[in-house]
């Protein structure tokens, strides 16, 4: 069992993760079609901005975002998502394994730093948990499933933290850590964690008021 | 008028028809519903939420989840009482102004629109003389 979790299941998880994302992209393009413009968007001449005007423009634009309505959450969610992706990629423990099995050596952050970043990430998770528990507006749309997903995302970091500090039985914690990582990877393409991919599809490819791009496709 | 109102209350729900309609847009709507992070960040962008002292019932996500979301969850097996409740959500609590902002890009108005079409297929929609009776404001 331990062998399976530490061996084949790692590859299986990565394959499901990658193929799942590819399947979702494929599905998305099948479900949507290219937009036929009734009025083709004309060429908008951009005014040349000086550096100062550019900064002022960016700062003013921030007022139309979540930064204005909820600055604390904006910072927390930014830290949460950046660490969620960067920490595991630049983690020494991961990259040693990657080097051993694939001969792929990535640059790594010092372990003392990633350990602190892991802790900061877990604090962000606690913040989201608190919001879900105590804000009536979040509770109004929360189901057990949301707690489960939050747990799935937190588990690799929590067990990774335990492993690094050698708390409890190292072998058991390490196996749990790998299992938790695998569960997270497998669930990403098929649950609400799929927003990792669909954020880009929805906001860049589907045209609507808040698209980042022109929005060339319609459902 | 009187007849159509009576018809609204008496006719049995055509579950098969609802299922058919739900299936038609399953790919899009189920993805929207499942990708919603349930984060409530869309709340402030809805003027009706702001105008109702930030009552969670007026959050865009709440309205989509408790209308279209319920229809998918129950696979169309709903009764008239529930449809009537949804009527209030998708007609009174949302005016389809399209201003809701979701950071992930979930398009709430298209979900509310679709829920309205399904309700209309069951002849559930607001009647002009209902306005005062149901206290629409
Ligand atoms: C699926 C295969 C995975 C394997 C084989 C694996 C393996 C490891 C190993 C060997 C360590 C080092 C523990 C130590 O220093 O003793 C570690 C730490 C860690 N892992 Fe993973 N991991 C996996 C997946 C993940 C995933 C998917 C995430 C997060 C998204 C993750 C997050 C972490 C974190 C945050 C730490 C460090 C915690 C700290 O230093 O405080 N791991 N992992
Ligand atoms: C890569 C691009 C990604 C983008 C643009 C993105 C964007 C967002 C946004 C806008 C929210 C809602 C706001 C909030 O509650 O913070 C959110 C929530 C969330 N995201 Fe992501 N996300 C991404 C990747 C991921 C990944 C890879 C995971 C996990 C595997 C993840 C896990 C979560 C979770 C668990 C929440 C909900 C937090 C809560 O319970 O309130 N995200 N994301
Ligand atoms: S619709 Fe968007 S902003 Fe609203 S709760 Fe769902 S994910 Fe959050
Ligand atoms: S479309 Fe409906 S939910 Fe969205 S902002 Fe307008 S009234 Fe609110």
């Amino acid at each position: 069992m331990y062998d399976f979790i530490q061996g084949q299941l790692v590859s299986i998880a990565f394959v499901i993760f990658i193929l799942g994302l590819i399947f979702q992209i494929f599905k998305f393009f099948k479900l949507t079609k290219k937009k036929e413009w009734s009025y083709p968007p004309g060429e908008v001449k951009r005014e040349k901005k000086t550096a100062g005007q550019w900064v002022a423009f960016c700062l003013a634009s921030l007022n139309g975002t979540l930064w204005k309505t909820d600055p604390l959450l904006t910072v927390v969610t930014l830290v949460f998502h950046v660490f969620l992706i960067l920490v595991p990629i630049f983690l020494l423990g991961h990259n040693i394994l990657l080097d051993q099995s694939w001969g792929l050596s990535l640059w790594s952050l010092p372990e003392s730093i990633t350990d602190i970043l892991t802790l900061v990430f877990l604090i962000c998770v606690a913040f989201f948990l608190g919001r879900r528990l105590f804000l009536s507006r979040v509770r109004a749309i929360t189901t057990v499933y949301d707690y489960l997903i939050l747990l799935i995302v937190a588990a690799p970091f929590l067990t990774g933290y335990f492993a690094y500090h050698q708390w409890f039985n190292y072998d058991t914690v390490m196996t749990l850590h790998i299992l938790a990582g695998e569960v997270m990877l497998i669930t990403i393409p098929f649950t609400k964690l799929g927003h990792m991919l669909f954020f880009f599809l929805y906001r860049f490819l589907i045209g609507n008021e808040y698209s980042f791009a022109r929005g060339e496709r319609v459902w | 008028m009187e007849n159509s109102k009576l018809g609204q209350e008496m006719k049995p729900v055509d579950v098969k028809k609802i299922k058919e309609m739900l299936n038609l847009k399953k790919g899009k709507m189920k993805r929207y519903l499942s990708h919603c992070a349930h984060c409530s960040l869309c709340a402030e962008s809805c003027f009706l939420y702001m105008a109702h002292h930030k009552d969670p019932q007026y959050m865009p996500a709440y309205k989509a989840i408790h209308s279209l979301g319920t229809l998918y969850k129950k696979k169309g097996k709903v009764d008239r009482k529930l449809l009537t409740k949804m009527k209030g959500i998708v007609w009174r609590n949302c005016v389809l102004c399209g201003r809701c902002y979701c950071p992930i890009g979930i398009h709430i108005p298209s979900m509310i629109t679709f829920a309205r079409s399904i309700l209309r297929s069951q002849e559930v929609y607001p009647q002009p003389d209902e306005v005062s009776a149901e206290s629409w404001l």
Side-chain angles (χ1 to χ4, degrees):
Chain A
M1 190 66 193
Y2 278 24
D3 284 349
F4 176 65
I5 290 173
Q6 299 187 354
Q8 286 128 300
L9 195 56
V10 179
S11 329
I12 294 174
F14 272 99
V15 168
I16 294 181
F17 173 64
I18 305 281
L19 286 186
L21 290 181
I22 291 173
F23 167 75
Q24 290 290 5
I25 294 175
F26 175 77
K27 257 321 243 194
F28 175 82
F29 279 95
K30 249 194 103 177
L31 284 165
T32 58
K33 53 184 185 294
K34 220 169 151 49
K35 187 186 278 180
E36 286 169 30
W37 302 99
S38 37
Y39 296 97
E43 285 293 317
V44 182
K45 280 243 161 64
R46 294 267 168 85
E47 283 177 46
K48 282 248 187 303
K49 291 192 183 75
T50 64
Q53 280 172 326
W54 229 95
V55 172
F57 171 77
C58 288
L59 287 178
S61 301
L62 275 182
N63 283 337
T65 69
L66 295 173
W67 173 249
K68 180 83 177 184
T69 45
D70 204 336
L72 177 64
L73 182 97
T74 312
V75 173
V76 173
T77 192
L78 195 67
V79 170
F80 173 91
H81 282 96
V82 169
F83 287 10
L84 173 67
I85 291 170
L86 293 190
V87 174
I89 293 180
F90 296 114
L91 195 85
L92 189 64
H94 288 174
N95 290 342
I96 289 172
L97 289 175
L98 214 58
D99 201 12
Q100 281 170 358
S101 52
W102 290 45
L104 201 71
S105 47
L106 289 173
W107 176 82
S108 303
L109 283 161
E111 282 192 296
S112 54
I113 305 255
T114 46
D115 190 39
I116 294 168
L117 300 188
T118 303
L119 197 59
V120 174
F121 176 87
L122 288 170
I123 293 169
C124 295
V125 171
F127 175 85
F128 282 133
L129 184 64
R131 250 170 65 82
R132 233 170 243 303
L133 284 170
F134 299 118
L135 288 189
S136 60
R137 49 187 278 186
V138 190
R139 225 170 32 218
I141 46 174
T142 295
T143 58
V144 213
Y145 171 74
D146 294 302
Y147 291 107
L148 183 68
I149 294 286
L150 200 57
L151 178 70
I152 287 177
V153 174
F157 288 82
L158 201 63
T159 48
Y161 193 79
F162 286 174
Y164 177 73
H165 292 272
Q166 314 241 337
W167 292 350
F168 311 108
N169 179 302
Y170 184 79
D171 279 343
T172 312
V173 170
M174 203 58 235
T175 311
L176 282 178
H177 172 73
I178 297 172
L179 185 64
E182 289 157 348
V183 169
M184 191 188 103
L185 288 173
I186 292 174
T187 46
I188 287 177
F190 310 107
T191 61
K192 80 172 185 183
L193 296 179
H195 72 259
M196 163 188 170
L197 169 67
F198 279 87
F199 164 81
F200 297 99
L201 302 181
Y202 290 156
R203 292 208 61 186
F204 284 86
L205 295 183
I206 297 280
N208 67 54
E209 273 197 81
Y210 303 103
S211 313
F212 287 127
R214 235 206 265 160
E216 298 283 0
R217 299 192 75 80
V218 286
W219 286 97
Chain B
M1 184 60 63
E2 213 46 48
N3 275 341
S4 69
K5 217 180 156 185
L6 217 64
Q8 261 196 357
E9 276 144 27
M10 303 306 289
K11 244 175 133 180
V13 178
D14 187 351
V15 173
K16 211 173 131 234
K17 172 78 185 161
I18 299 183
K19 268 192 183 160
E20 248 170 50
M21 290 185 81
L22 287 174
N23 267 332
L24 224 54
K25 294 200 180 189
K26 200 167 79 184
K28 170 185 181 181
M29 296 302 173
K30 278 207 148 174
R31 276 180 180 73
Y32 273 164
L33 285 164
S34 89
H35 293 142
C36 172
H38 298 166
C39 64
S40 88
L41 293 179
C42 45
E44 274 93 355
S45 62
C46 179
F47 76 101
L48 282 171
Y49 171 79
M50 299 308 273
H52 284 88
H53 313 285
K54 304 199 171 182
D55 179 348
Q57 282 191 52
Y58 289 87
M59 283 189 318
Y62 183 95
K63 292 180 265 190
I65 292 166
H66 289 269
S67 54
L68 193 63
T70 309
L71 285 170
Y72 273 108
K73 206 156 119 198
K74 296 196 177 271
K75 299 194 171 69
K77 290 197 197 87
V78 287
D79 55 18
R80 214 149 264 282
K81 205 170 135 226
L82 195 57
L83 288 180
T84 310
K85 211 175 125 208
M86 286 180 198
K87 175 175 76 172
I89 296 177
V90 298
W91 268 286
R92 183 187 51 212
N93 297 6
C94 171
V95 297
L96 288 186
C97 65
R99 294 304 298 161
C100 20
Y101 167 71
C102 165
I104 292 174
I106 289 157
H107 196 242
I108 300 283
S110 66
M111 298 161 90
I112 305 278
T113 311
F114 189 44
R116 282 192 184 185
S117 309
I118 293 171
L119 295 200
R120 225 187 245 113
S121 81
Q122 301 306 310
E123 287 172 41
V124 177
Y125 46 85
Q127 305 286 326
D129 63 348
E130 248 174 66
V131 173
S132 54
E134 265 207 1
S135 167
W136 281 61
L137 283 175

